[in-house]
Amino acid sequence: MALGPASFCVDHTVVIDVDPPVVERFLLDSGCFPLWHRGVAGVPTISTPVLQTGTSVEFLGRVGPLRFPYVTIVSAHDPGRKLALRTTRGVVDLLAVTTWTAVDGGTEVRATVDARLTAARAGLAKWAERIVRRNLAGELGDLKRLLETGQFEFTVPSQLTAHPPRCPLETPPDFF
């Protein structure tokens, strides 16, 4: 019996004890990307220093000892609110949307991953969903830990937060 296409959606939320501009700056800084994305093996190739609509991110996706090539683009950036990434190459077609809003106690960050698999890969859906669910919870936990403890360095100057807290460049790009 042939399977049809499959899909799933995973959603996770965390409250981080920092201001929303710090969260946004971290999410958009290409040098910070591999620090909190657990499924990325090695150093990704990112087309711009600051993630913005149209930026491409090429990396090897990691699942245990397995590696899969992925290409992701920034499909949307709503300043102060949302960053969306969509895969254009990979085992699973993913749309990952991260939103952030100010709340008492910091910033609420919500990540939603909507996944689609072709009929040829539909048998991988349960396996892929478990991995995405585990990684998403871990990634938001890593994001919280990194931002609350300051165990990272910004790699691009920005007008979003006081400059330079931890950054090797002198002047922020106009678009950031």
Side-chain angles (χ1 to χ4, degrees):
M1 180 170 107
L3 295 173
S7 64
F8 60 87
C9 186
V10 177
D11 187 70
H12 194 73
T13 303
V14 67
V15 175
I16 302 173
D17 189 18
V18 296
D19 294 329
V22 176
V23 172
E24 182 172 15
R25 182 175 179 186
F26 187 87
L27 294 175
L28 298 179
D29 189 319
S30 65
C32 296
F33 185 87
L35 299 177
W36 70 287
H37 284 89
R38 290 183 170 209
V40 175
V43 178
T45 302
I46 303 176
S47 65
T48 60
V50 176
L51 299 183
Q52 55 190 310
T53 303
T55 297
S56 70
V57 181
E58 297 181 42
F59 61 92
L60 288 177
R62 174 181 55 215
V63 179
L66 304 176
R67 303 291 185 261
F68 303 99
Y70 271 88
V71 177
T72 301
I73 61 162
V74 176
S75 58
H77 172 230
D78 185 359
R81 297 186 45 197
K82 175 177 85 171
L83 179 67
L85 302 167
R86 176 177 293 284
T87 58
T88 59
R89 178 182 181 204
V91 175
V92 180
D93 179 25
L94 301 170
L95 173 60
V97 178
T98 305
T99 59
W100 56 94
T101 54
V103 296
D104 288 338
T107 305
E108 181 180 87
V109 178
R110 179 178 186 171
T112 304
V113 176
D114 185 22
R116 308 256 185 266
L117 292 92
T118 62
R121 294 183 174 153
L124 299 174
K126 287 184 180 182
W127 173 75
E129 183 176 359
R130 281 193 306 269
I131 291 166
V132 169
R133 189 171 304 283
R134 181 190 68 219
N135 282 351
L136 191 59
E139 288 171 353
L140 288 185
D142 291 344
L143 181 66
K144 178 179 175 69
R145 178 185 49 78
L146 288 165
L147 288 173
E148 288 181 352
T149 63
Q151 295 177 335
F152 68 94
E153 290 185 4
F154 289 120
T155 61
V156 179
S158 174
Q159 298 169 2
L160 291 171
T161 64
H163 176 73
R166 298 173 289 268
C167 185
L169 301 176
E170 291 301 318
T171 57
D174 292 337
F175 54 84
F176 189 42

